[in-house]
Amino acid sequence: MARFIFITGGVVSSLGKGLMAASLAALLQARGYRVRIRKFDPYLNVDPGTMSPYQHGEVYVTDDGAETDLDLGHYERFTGVAARQSDNVTSGRIYQGIIAKERRGDYLGATVQVVPHVTDAIKEFARAETDDLDFVLCEIGGTVGDIESLPFIEAIRQLKNEVGRDNAISVHVTLVPYIAAAGELKTKPTQHSVRELASLGVQPDILLCRCEKPLPETERAKIALFCNVRKEAVIPALDADSIYSVPVQYHGEGLDSEVLRAFGIHDAPAPDLTAWYDIMDRKQHPEGEVTIGVVGKYVSLPDAYKSLNEALVHGGMAHRVKVNIRWLDAEMFERDEDLVANLEPLHGILVPGGFGERGSEGKISSVRFARERGVPFFGICLGMQMACIEAARNTSGIAKASSTEFGPTDEPVVGLITEWMSAEGLQKRGANTDLGGTMRLGAYEAKLSPNSHVASVYGANAISERHRHRYEVNGAYRDSLEKGGLVFSGMSPDGMLPEIVERPDHPWFIGVQFHPELKSKPFDPHPLFAGFIEAAVKQSRLV
């Protein structure tokens, strides 16, 4: 039977519970254990698919088409275990299922209540598909004390009793703030947070204490005394220079050893951290650097492009170079002087995914700059669509080329996708359907042209990548675009949907309809990002 590790947070939000869960899972995995991480989100949205990036950050998409929390990206990047629909659940999805059952009469006239019906549904989610695992790590979103998280805390209290004390532990992540005026780290917020959690019936076994100054032994002992844990179970977690240093740092503080001790496991093999030491070395000791401009819409909030940021870092690791990312608001490129001043110093230009018309003309202008100046260009999702519109306008003579996403147009080079084939069969959508979950989502295959640049990058003629989009490049314009030099080098297996475009006469110009950043990992950089950074390194020698 799988053992459960429940991870909660206290004092304040944004303490890095997701990163902690990913790091702990990586450490257990390095000892030879089979792990999976799950995220419980207390908000009432069914999933984050319709939430603004400014509210929630990026939406992470799994192979099976789930729109999930960005923490699942950390989980995949650190463990290499592909996330699934069953690894993220929200209060909204829990209540949606319960209300559907109630309407069908499944509860046989019973009064439907938080306990037992909601808590049972949460426990069912936690225990599903765990037979082949050694450890299941369950992260509870939000902060202890939030009214939204109470059913989840109650559910893990019940589950700890049901599976037995030897099969479930609780790890609580807290903040030990440094008060500069007093010159001290203060333990009282941690004490109050643990007391709040204990009052709900969950006594933490391990405390991970985030702090910006080293935690003195006296304060560590004080926390242990007032929070009813062993002193060795109070784990200091200082700010790290890189997220990829965190697993090694936590191992050095004894986190994984203390977790195993809490389960009564005393004969576990030592972890093999060779890969993590190599990642740290590549990150901390680069042999050069490049500057990449990301021309986007949500650049004021880097979490909106979290996976993209990390994939660029991974591409740098592949070539031992530091990647400096310059986040550029596409709207400012509607003036030519801003365009040249900001893009000329760059070694590569990337236009990422997004929704809506705002900033689209600036993105198109940045594509044109990259094409005309021979600067390595990478377009992702909307970025590929903007590359196609730019080509239509400027190399194929279609002056009014646009996207129906931006309004009615006589030249719909990009249009709403109304039907496509998936593993479940033919999918159909209309302009007035619900926004949530109605895009082309998840893993789809693509066939690559044998002699194309992208086929050489992948080293394959067939690939599978994750999608999240509602609009597609219109295949009816393929001949016109190819006459202008933009080649369709990747298509869906049925030959209907354009997946990749490239310019053979350009040093590195590739646009993809999918999101390759979602599959990149520090120990396995995505080939497109590795290739893009390699081209940027060559460009840096020319600038």
Side-chain angles (χ1 to χ4, degrees), residues 31 41 58 104 123 138 152 176 185 207 260 345 375 389-390 445 462-463 483 537-538 543:
R31 291 177 180 266
D41 278 312
E58 80 167 359
R104 289 196 304 265
K123 290 186 292 183
C138 298
F152 292 93
V176 181
L185 288 166
L207 299 178
L260 293 172
V375 179
I389 292 175
E390 189 279 329
E445 292 184 354
I463 60 171
K483 286 177 183 177
V537 171
K538 294 177 182 177
V543 175

Side-chain angles (χ1 to χ4, degrees), residues 7-10 17 39-44 90-91 95 114 118-119 122 139-157 172 196-197 200 202:
I7 299 165
T8 54
K17 296 191 304 296
K39 178 72 181 287
F40 301 75
D41 278 312
Y43 52 73
L44 287 174
T90 67
S91 290
Y95 280 102
V114 173
V118 173
T119 52
I122 294 170
E139 177 196 347
I140 313 298
T143 307
V144 168
D146 294 345
I147 192 169
E148 295 94 342
S149 64
L150 290 176
F152 292 93
I153 302 298
E154 171 60 18
I156 67 173
R157 182 195 69 78
H172 192 51
E196 175 79 16
L197 184 59
L200 299 173
V202 178

